[in-house]
Amino acid sequence: MSIASETEEAARAYADWQRAVAGVLAKSRRIDAAELGTDPQKFLETVTYDGVTVAPLYSPRDERPEQPLPGTFPYVRGVDATRDVNTGWLVSGRFGDGNDAAAVADVNRSILDSLENGVSALWLAVGCGNLPVRSLESALDGVLLDLAPLTLDAGSDVALAARALFALLDMRAGAGGGASDRSATRIQLGAAPLTSDFSGAADVGLDEAVALAAEASVRTENVRAITVDGTAFHNSGASDAEELGASIAAGLEYLRALTASGLTVERALGQVGFRYAATDDQFQTIAKFRAARQVWARIAQVCGAPDCGGAPQHAVTSAAMMAQRDPWVNMLRTTLAAFGAGVGGADAVTVLPFDAALPAGALGVSKTFASRIARNTQLLLLEESHLGRVLDPAAGSWYVEELTGQVATKAWEFFQQIEAAGGYRAARESGLIADRIDSTRARRESDISHRRTAVTGVNEFPNLAEPPLPPGAAESSRVARCAAPFEALRDRSDAYLAANGVRPAVVLAPLGPVAEHNVRTTFSANLLASGGIEAVNPGPLTIGDGSIATAAKGSGASIAVICGTDTRYADEAATAVEELRAVGIDTVLLAGPEAVVAGTDGPARPDGFVTSRIDAVSVLSSLLDTIESSSVASGAAGSKK
């Protein structure tokens, strides 16, 4: 078959698909297919927070030119052309958080055990309330740093930790290590003053970080002093392109400071590494890591050193996507995130423990268990699914290549806005970066509150039977967790349960047979549970026989939700409202749109309407206010008696 024939065949197939789409959409919308226009598939498109349009189908029409092989500019397909495909990416384990000097032996044992069981890179928290810097040598006893790359997280103690580490490396070299051993050692010191300033984390100043980079640049080992921590932006609510745009702007600010101090562009580029968040949106994550390499390579090219633009990437599963409620679902979230980061070409991946959003021991499981699950998540992907056996396995996918290109374009646009404002520090001080991220965060929170975006176990399929959280499950001011607004409602429910012995409750008033009301009773119960409110379902009720009054009185609730079909509402909703009010129900809601009771006024009109379009957080918060007020009033009345 000729190329022309293949093109014609593809065009006919695409046209057939468009007609099929039009037929399905026309049927579901009860309109004529012609009303959908010549591109009916546009009704199936979605738009990301970056303004990237995701089509429902990708075909040869979307094909982009093939990217160069891994290890070559612009590094979209990876920075290392010779990565061991039998090993894949580095499985990075985090150690040292919250440990004191007395626990150093435990940290060392944990590190060695993890290295023996699949961890291949270390991320060690020292100083700033974590493992003391003076314990660094003991913590790394027996660790072969030429085989296990090390990243430090030392905050404002990074210079002290770096010099302790350098002394340890020199001591080991003097005890018999050769130059080849030292050159194979890969260290990231983790100084991140610019991104730490954004997140509010403790860190050194820029001048001290630059001085540390100058010291690191002459080491025999492969040492990078500076980490551009994009998770600072992500955890504040940034979109993918915003995280990348702000990160490369910060990276360029470092390059300017480093070269101004006397380093060549090549040496300056060799002192910068990146850390990005990986989320459970696997395709977005794949595209983000590929796009991140492309935009940074462009920075290196403009600076005159394109061959030095392959900076290492450390992926960390998103802290913002982690939920406190039904936290076992976090295992699925981190699996998708690790998959996306690995396929996207991250050099090292850290999976956060599934209980990372909770106080230690809140679930009754050990830290060792949670860490083992996090580690084994990656090992399953690498050793059983063999995802590391192919470099850039997503290459050639019309969807991934198009998404990569669009994310890179949007990231570059944001970077240019930051540069136009005077560079990273000027844009940070003016509020440009924070304002842009806050806007995205507000849109995301609105989508979650309206349940347009599902957070399983939180705003969808919540489990009211799970034990209340222990005291001290405080929020981190640095992480805008997606689940937090709904979980704040669940916290109120827990407090109500502790004070009253029962959950806040709303009684359902199902009208007609189960087949009629089941959809809306199920919807209402799920919605109420997401706010910590129990739905009392007495079963089918009938107008005029006293069953509504009996059910309402027996529930002890002061709020009711009428559930049924639009047809039945037209005949029975007004009467049902009146019967509920007659037995003391203060607030009567109707599961359905307001239009179904148009023309009904006065006491027979529902107080509100429960639909999929409501701001669930606002409505549920109001219901909890009403229930709590009713409980206080009842308690006060009882005490007077």
Side-chain angles (χ1 to χ4, degrees), residues 223-304:
V223 182
R224 290 179 186 256
I226 293 172
T227 296
V228 180
D229 191 356
T231 66
F233 309 113
H234 171 84
N235 289 339
S236 293
S239 65
D240 291 329
E242 288 165 355
E243 180 184 353
L244 299 189
S247 294
I248 62 171
L252 181 56
E253 196 82 17
Y254 285 126
L255 291 184
R256 288 170 173 149
L258 291 168
T259 53
S261 73
L263 290 183
T264 64
V265 170
E266 292 79 7
R267 282 187 175 273
L269 285 165
Q271 285 302 304
V272 179
F274 290 84
R275 180 177 298 127
Y276 295 116
T279 73
D280 52 359
D281 189 332
Q282 63 181 22
F283 288 109
Q284 278 288 143
T285 297
I286 292 169
K288 178 168 80 171
F289 280 85
R290 299 174 90 245
R293 292 191 293 274
Q294 181 176 345
V295 292
W296 183 245
R298 174 60 176 157
I299 294 291
Q301 181 187 44
V302 172
C303 291

XYZ file of all heavy atoms in Angstrom, residues 223-304:
610
model
N 29.686 15.741 42.704
C 28.898 16.398 43.748
C 28.131 17.571 43.145
O 28.715 18.425 42.472
C 29.788 16.906 44.900
C 28.925 17.537 45.993
C 30.624 15.778 45.476
N 26.843 17.602 43.382
C 26.000 18.748 43.021
C 25.524 19.377 44.320
O 24.951 18.689 45.166
C 24.815 18.329 42.153
C 25.217 17.893 40.753
C 24.018 17.469 39.922
N 24.449 16.926 38.646
C 24.377 17.557 37.474
N 23.852 18.782 37.419
N 24.809 16.993 36.362
N 25.722 20.655 44.454
C 25.409 21.319 45.719
C 23.956 21.777 45.800
O 23.378 21.833 46.879
C 26.333 22.516 45.927
N 23.356 22.110 44.648
C 22.070 22.812 44.650
C 20.959 21.939 44.081
O 21.125 21.293 43.036
C 22.178 24.127 43.851
C 23.112 25.093 44.590
C 20.809 24.754 43.628
C 23.437 26.344 43.816
N 19.847 21.924 44.773
C 18.642 21.239 44.297
C 17.545 22.271 44.084
O 17.218 23.043 44.988
C 18.155 20.192 45.313
O 19.142 19.164 45.439
C 16.840 19.568 44.862
N 16.997 22.293 42.883
C 15.805 23.095 42.617
C 14.614 22.224 42.987
O 14.287 21.275 42.285
C 15.724 23.532 41.147
C 14.470 24.375 40.921
C 16.971 24.301 40.739
N 14.003 22.533 44.106
C 12.951 21.673 44.651
C 11.578 22.128 44.159
O 10.909 22.950 44.778
C 13.003 21.689 46.178
C 12.114 20.620 46.793
O 11.412 19.922 46.036
O 12.122 20.481 48.027
N 11.160 21.577 43.030
C 9.863 21.933 42.460
C 8.689 21.515 43.313
O 7.581 22.043 43.145
N 8.902 20.585 44.244
C 7.793 20.172 45.107
C 7.317 21.326 45.985
O 6.185 21.321 46.460
C 8.175 18.975 45.993
O 9.193 19.362 46.928
C 8.684 17.806 45.158
N 8.169 22.339 46.198
C 7.743 23.515 46.963
C 6.577 24.207 46.269
O 5.636 24.684 46.921
C 8.908 24.482 47.131
N 6.616 24.253 44.945
C 5.532 24.875 44.183
C 4.341 23.934 44.081
O 3.191 24.347 44.252
C 6.031 25.268 42.790
C 7.301 26.074 42.810
C 8.485 25.559 42.300
C 7.319 27.338 43.373
C 9.657 26.286 42.319
C 8.497 28.090 43.406
C 9.669 27.557 42.881
N 4.634 22.675 43.814
C 3.553 21.686 43.708
C 2.744 21.608 44.994
O 1.501 21.595 44.965
C 4.137 20.309 43.379
C 3.134 19.205 43.456
N 2.279 18.885 42.415
C 2.825 18.346 44.467
C 1.493 17.895 42.779
N 1.805 17.542 44.018
N 3.429 21.554 46.129
C 2.728 21.418 47.406
C 1.919 22.658 47.766
O 1.040 22.595 48.627
C 3.728 21.106 48.523
C 4.283 19.705 48.417
O 3.690 18.835 47.779
N 5.430 19.467 49.032
N 2.208 23.768 47.113
C 1.420 24.981 47.332
C 0.208 25.056 46.407
O -0.610 25.966 46.546
C 2.293 26.226 47.114
O 3.289 26.300 48.118
N 0.128 24.113 45.467
C -1.032 24.061 44.580
C -0.737 24.285 43.123
O -1.661 24.391 42.305
N 0.536 24.348 42.732
C 0.892 24.642 41.346
C 0.465 23.529 40.403
O 0.434 22.352 40.763
C 2.405 24.862 41.228
N 0.162 23.914 39.174
C -0.054 22.943 38.111
C 1.298 22.402 37.660
O 2.354 22.873 38.110
C -0.762 23.609 36.931
O 0.099 24.594 36.355
N 1.274 21.450 36.739
C 2.536 20.863 36.276
C 3.414 21.894 35.574
O 4.608 22.008 35.853
C 2.250 19.686 35.334
C 1.647 18.505 36.063
O 1.960 18.311 37.244
O 0.845 17.772 35.450
N 2.837 22.648 34.655
C 3.628 23.631 33.918
C 4.101 24.756 34.834
O 5.202 25.294 34.656
C 2.821 24.195 32.753
N 3.286 25.115 35.812
C 3.711 26.145 36.773
C 4.863 25.645 37.624
O 5.802 26.401 37.913
C 2.525 26.551 37.648
C 1.483 27.373 36.899
C 0.161 27.474 37.630
O 0.000 26.817 38.688
O -0.728 28.195 37.146
N 4.810 24.379 38.032
C 5.923 23.808 38.788
C 7.205 23.843 37.959
O 8.274 24.229 38.458
C 5.597 22.370 39.192
C 6.691 21.692 39.993
C 6.398 20.230 40.295
O 5.271 19.768 39.993
O 7.298 19.545 40.832
N 7.092 23.467 36.685
C 8.275 23.454 35.822
C 8.757 24.871 35.524
O 9.966 25.153 35.578
C 7.966 22.742 34.505
C 7.551 21.279 34.571
C 7.509 20.679 33.172
C 8.480 20.473 35.458
N 7.827 25.780 35.195
C 8.229 27.137 34.851
C 8.927 27.842 35.998
O 9.961 28.495 35.815
N 8.365 27.718 37.205
C 8.984 28.339 38.377
C 10.322 27.674 38.696
O 11.279 28.344 39.124
C 8.048 28.247 39.577
N 10.406 26.371 38.489
C 11.642 25.645 38.793
C 12.783 26.051 37.866
O 13.910 26.286 38.320
C 11.410 24.132 38.694
O 10.524 23.687 39.699
N 12.517 26.146 36.577
C 13.616 26.518 35.677
C 13.984 27.989 35.860
O 15.141 28.376 35.656
C 13.304 26.191 34.205
C 12.088 26.960 33.704
C 13.135 24.703 34.015
C 11.882 26.822 32.196
N 13.009 28.805 36.285
C 13.340 30.203 36.597
C 14.273 30.259 37.792
O 15.247 31.036 37.812
C 12.062 30.995 36.877
N 13.996 29.434 38.819
C 14.890 29.363 39.980
C 16.247 28.804 39.566
O 17.295 29.276 40.022
C 14.263 28.504 41.074
N 16.219 27.786 38.699
C 17.470 27.206 38.226
C 18.330 28.223 37.500
O 19.557 28.276 37.689
N 17.699 29.061 36.676
C 18.445 30.098 35.964
C 19.006 31.133 36.937
O 20.128 31.632 36.759
C 17.539 30.773 34.933
C 18.183 31.879 34.093
C 19.422 31.377 33.358
C 17.170 32.452 33.112
N 18.244 31.425 37.985
C 18.738 32.365 39.008
C 20.007 31.807 39.664
O 20.966 32.553 39.933
C 17.658 32.592 40.056
C 17.880 33.802 40.940
C 17.433 35.102 40.285
O 16.667 35.057 39.308
O 17.874 36.161 40.745
N 20.014 30.500 39.922
C 21.221 29.874 40.469
C 22.385 29.985 39.487
O 23.520 30.281 39.884
C 20.964 28.398 40.777
C 20.134 28.135 42.010
C 18.994 27.347 41.939
C 20.500 28.649 43.248
C 18.225 27.080 43.071
C 19.748 28.389 44.384
C 18.607 27.603 44.288
O 17.856 27.345 45.409
N 22.112 29.732 38.203
C 23.186 29.808 37.211
C 23.799 31.203 37.172
O 25.022 31.352 37.072
C 22.646 29.443 35.825
C 22.243 27.982 35.586
C 21.818 27.785 34.139
C 23.384 27.028 35.930
N 22.952 32.201 37.244
C 23.461 33.579 37.229
C 24.360 33.845 38.443
O 25.428 34.458 38.329
C 22.290 34.558 37.202
C 21.566 34.597 35.862
C 20.280 35.387 35.940
N 19.683 35.558 34.618
C 18.381 35.650 34.381
N 17.530 35.613 35.399
N 17.929 35.805 33.157
N 23.915 33.378 39.599
C 24.706 33.593 40.811
C 26.006 32.796 40.764
O 27.067 33.290 41.184
C 23.889 33.200 42.038
N 25.952 31.578 40.255
C 27.139 30.728 40.200
C 28.171 31.271 39.226
O 29.380 31.302 39.522
C 26.738 29.302 39.806
C 25.942 28.509 40.847
C 25.365 27.244 40.243
C 26.818 28.172 42.056
N 27.710 31.691 38.050
C 28.670 32.227 37.074
C 29.215 33.580 37.528
O 30.376 33.912 37.265
C 28.012 32.355 35.685
O 26.795 33.107 35.797
C 27.701 30.985 35.106
N 28.396 34.359 38.236
C 28.876 35.633 38.765
C 29.961 35.432 39.811
O 30.823 36.301 40.012
C 27.710 36.422 39.369
N 29.942 34.253 40.467
C 30.954 33.970 41.488
C 32.254 33.460 40.884
O 33.239 33.266 41.601
C 30.416 32.933 42.478
O 30.376 31.647 41.889
N 32.250 33.196 39.566
C 33.476 32.767 38.911
C 33.432 31.399 38.274
O 34.361 31.004 37.573
N 32.359 30.638 38.475
C 32.253 29.323 37.844
C 31.937 29.480 36.368
O 31.215 30.403 35.963
C 31.162 28.484 38.501
C 31.392 27.979 39.924
C 30.221 27.111 40.370
C 32.690 27.201 40.041
N 32.463 28.584 35.562
C 32.078 28.565 34.156
C 30.635 28.082 34.044
O 30.084 27.470 34.976
C 32.976 27.620 33.354
O 32.779 26.272 33.830
C 34.450 28.003 33.503
N 30.008 28.340 32.900
C 28.632 27.882 32.682
C 28.557 26.368 32.820
O 27.617 25.828 33.422
C 28.127 28.327 31.290
C 26.795 27.646 30.969
C 27.982 29.830 31.222
N 29.564 25.684 32.276
C 29.555 24.225 32.332
C 29.615 23.728 33.775
O 28.865 22.819 34.169
C 30.734 23.653 31.525
C 30.633 23.848 30.028
C 31.011 25.254 29.566
O 31.483 26.066 30.408
O 30.858 25.548 28.374
N 30.494 24.317 34.575
C 30.591 23.899 35.980
C 29.334 24.302 36.755
O 28.870 23.575 37.627
C 31.835 24.509 36.634
C 33.138 23.797 36.282
C 34.295 24.342 37.106
N 35.518 23.606 36.865
C 35.878 22.503 37.522
N 35.089 22.021 38.478
N 37.011 21.887 37.243
N 28.791 25.453 36.426
C 27.573 25.895 37.106
C 26.419 24.939 36.821
O 25.671 24.556 37.731
C 27.220 27.314 36.669
N 26.257 24.528 35.578
C 25.201 23.578 35.223
C 25.409 22.251 35.945
O 24.441 21.572 36.305
C 25.173 23.361 33.709
C 24.566 24.507 32.881
C 24.923 24.355 31.410
C 23.052 24.546 33.056
N 26.670 21.905 36.170
C 26.977 20.662 36.867
C 26.694 20.696 38.354
O 26.818 19.674 39.033
N 26.305 21.860 38.861
C 26.010 21.985 40.287
C 24.509 22.012 40.584
O 24.114 22.145 41.738
C 26.652 23.264 40.833
C 28.150 23.157 41.012
C 28.513 22.017 41.957
O 28.050 21.959 43.092
N 29.330 21.093 41.471
N 23.682 21.879 39.557
C 22.233 22.016 39.738
C 21.528 20.701 39.405
O 21.776 20.091 38.360
C 21.672 23.151 38.848
C 20.155 23.268 39.029
C 22.348 24.474 39.183
N 20.644 20.271 40.308
C 19.768 19.128 40.070
C 18.334 19.527 40.386
O 18.088 20.580 40.985
N 17.376 18.695 40.012
C 15.960 19.038 40.165
C 15.200 17.953 40.920
O 15.513 16.761 40.808
C 15.311 19.236 38.791
C 15.784 20.475 38.080
C 16.958 20.457 37.341
C 15.070 21.659 38.167
C 17.407 21.596 36.686
C 15.508 22.807 37.526
C 16.685 22.771 36.778
N 14.221 18.417 41.667
C 13.288 17.499 42.336
C 11.873 17.919 41.957
O 11.505 19.085 42.087
C 13.464 17.541 43.854
C 12.523 16.600 44.612
C 12.802 16.624 46.119
N 14.145 16.174 46.402
C 15.031 16.848 47.130
N 14.704 18.027 47.667
N 16.240 16.373 47.325
N 11.089 16.951 41.472
C 9.721 17.238 41.064
C 8.750 16.258 41.724
O 9.130 15.141 42.094
C 9.573 17.128 39.542
C 10.359 18.144 38.753
C 11.381 17.744 37.891
C 10.081 19.500 38.852
C 12.102 18.667 37.146
C 10.801 20.434 38.120
C 11.806 20.010 37.264
O 12.521 20.929 36.545
N 7.513 16.680 41.806
C 6.465 15.826 42.360
C 5.881 14.941 41.265
O 5.708 15.372 40.125
C 5.357 16.674 42.985
N 5.578 13.704 41.626
C 4.895 12.764 40.730
C 3.513 12.495 41.299
O 3.382 12.174 42.480
C 5.690 11.463 40.612
N 2.477 12.627 40.472
C 1.108 12.458 40.943
C 0.479 11.198 40.373
O 1.069 10.500 39.544
C 0.234 13.664 40.558
O -0.025 13.621 39.136
C 0.924 14.971 40.903
N -0.757 10.936 40.800
C -1.460 9.753 40.331
C -2.098 9.949 38.960
O -2.780 9.049 38.466
C -2.527 9.312 41.349
C -3.462 10.428 41.741
O -3.290 11.560 41.259
O -4.379 10.180 42.551
N -1.891 11.103 38.334
C -2.267 11.281 36.928
C -1.074 10.831 36.100
O -0.153 11.604 35.831
C -2.614 12.744 36.656
C -3.210 12.952 35.270
O -2.878 12.165 34.365
O -3.996 13.893 35.095
N -1.079 9.565 35.719
C 0.145 8.966 35.189
C 0.616 9.612 33.887
O 1.820 9.821 33.690
C -0.036 7.462 34.996
C -1.104 7.069 33.987
C -1.239 5.557 33.862
O -0.874 4.816 34.760
N -1.777 5.107 32.745
N -0.299 9.956 32.982
C 0.151 10.533 31.719
C 0.678 11.953 31.908
O 1.654 12.355 31.271
C -0.983 10.492 30.695
C -1.274 9.101 30.189
C -2.423 8.442 30.557
C -0.369 8.450 29.364
C -2.683 7.158 30.112
C -0.611 7.163 28.903
C -1.778 6.511 29.282
N 0.026 12.722 32.779
C 0.542 14.052 33.080
C 1.938 13.965 33.691
O 2.815 14.778 33.396
C -0.399 14.770 34.042
C -1.608 15.418 33.390
C -1.280 16.658 32.591
O -1.868 16.914 31.540
N -0.329 17.436 33.062
N 2.139 12.969 34.561
C 3.443 12.814 35.200
C 4.508 12.407 34.191
O 5.625 12.943 34.185
C 3.356 11.784 36.336
O 2.460 12.270 37.335
C 4.712 11.537 36.972
N 4.172 11.469 33.323
C 5.121 11.064 32.277
C 5.528 12.275 31.448
O 6.716 12.533 31.215
C 4.496 9.978 31.365
C 4.299 8.673 32.136
C 5.380 9.734 30.138
C 3.449 7.657 31.396
N 4.528 13.033 31.008
C 4.806 14.189 30.157
C 5.588 15.258 30.915
O 6.467 15.918 30.342
C 3.489 14.766 29.632
N 5.278 15.439 32.202
C 5.950 16.491 32.973
C 7.451 16.241 33.072
O 8.253 17.162 32.869
C 5.347 16.597 34.373
C 6.044 17.635 35.239
C 5.272 17.946 36.501
C 5.458 16.934 37.571
N 4.866 17.368 38.859
N 7.843 15.023 33.377
C 9.274 14.746 33.531
C 10.008 14.849 32.195
O 11.159 15.301 32.144
C 9.484 13.382 34.195
C 9.319 13.427 35.682
C 8.063 13.310 36.264
C 10.395 13.643 36.521
C 7.890 13.380 37.639
C 10.246 13.725 37.894
C 8.982 13.594 38.453
N 9.350 14.447 31.116
C 9.970 14.574 29.799
C 10.084 16.053 29.423
O 11.118 16.511 28.915
C 9.159 13.808 28.757
C 9.076 12.311 29.048
C 8.139 11.583 28.087
N 8.862 11.118 26.899
C 8.653 11.560 25.672
N 7.746 12.498 25.456
N 9.343 11.073 24.662
N 9.008 16.804 29.680
C 9.020 18.235 29.357
C 10.027 18.988 30.206
O 10.661 19.948 29.732
C 7.624 18.815 29.558
N 10.196 18.582 31.459
C 11.139 19.263 32.353
C 12.554 19.196 31.800
O 13.315 20.186 31.876
C 11.080 18.628 33.742
N 12.923 18.061 31.257
C 14.266 17.939 30.686
C 14.398 18.827 29.445
O 15.448 19.432 29.209
C 14.563 16.478 30.351
C 14.684 15.596 31.580
C 15.245 14.221 31.231
N 14.326 13.440 30.401
C 13.350 12.683 30.881
N 13.154 12.601 32.185
N 12.575 11.995 30.073
N 13.338 18.892 28.664
C 13.381 19.696 27.449
C 13.569 21.182 27.750
O 14.401 21.853 27.124
C 12.094 19.490 26.644
C 12.047 20.270 25.338
C 10.802 19.956 24.527
O 10.114 18.981 24.768
N 10.511 20.805 23.546
N 12.821 21.705 28.713
C 12.916 23.149 28.984
C 14.244 23.506 29.653
O 14.810 24.575 29.388
C 11.718 23.650 29.825
C 10.430 23.570 29.019
C 11.569 22.881 31.122
N 14.761 22.620 30.511
C 16.057 22.928 31.120
C 17.183 22.824 30.086
O 18.149 23.598 30.119
C 16.333 22.011 32.304
C 17.623 22.342 33.012
C 18.741 21.577 33.106
C 17.924 23.557 33.716
N 19.721 22.223 33.822
C 19.245 23.445 34.221
C 17.201 24.718 33.977
C 19.850 24.454 34.961
C 17.811 25.739 34.714
C 19.116 25.592 35.191
N 17.040 21.879 29.162
C 18.042 21.769 28.098
C 18.060 23.045 27.259
O 19.118 23.487 26.789
C 17.740 20.559 27.216
N 16.893 23.635 27.086
C 16.823 24.892 26.330
C 17.560 26.009 27.080
O 18.252 26.831 26.463
C 15.359 25.272 26.098
C 15.139 26.623 25.446
C 15.779 26.705 24.075
N 15.476 27.989 23.441
C 16.202 28.533 22.488
N 17.291 27.894 22.035
N 15.853 29.691 21.959
N 17.443 26.029 28.412
C 18.188 27.003 29.212
C 19.689 26.812 28.991
O 20.434 27.775 28.767
C 17.854 26.853 30.709
C 16.393 27.211 30.992
C 18.791 27.704 31.561
C 16.059 28.669 30.833
N 20.138 25.562 29.055
C 21.562 25.281 28.867
C 22.017 25.687 27.466
O 23.119 26.221 27.286
C 21.833 23.797 29.104
N 21.160 25.465 26.490
C 21.507 25.829 25.114
C 21.670 27.341 24.976
O 22.643 27.825 24.383
C 20.417 25.334 24.167
C 20.692 25.633 22.692
C 19.508 25.278 21.816
O 18.370 25.581 22.153
N 19.775 24.614 20.693
N 20.733 28.079 25.541
C 20.803 29.535 25.464
C 22.035 30.056 26.199
O 22.643 31.058 25.802
C 19.520 30.166 26.043
C 19.652 31.681 26.158
C 18.320 29.809 25.179
N 22.430 29.339 27.260
C 23.624 29.730 28.018
C 24.914 29.311 27.326
O 26.013 29.616 27.815
C 23.579 29.129 29.419
S 22.307 29.839 30.484
N 24.792 28.592 26.211
C 25.966 28.221 25.440
C 26.569 26.877 25.770
O 27.678 26.577 25.324
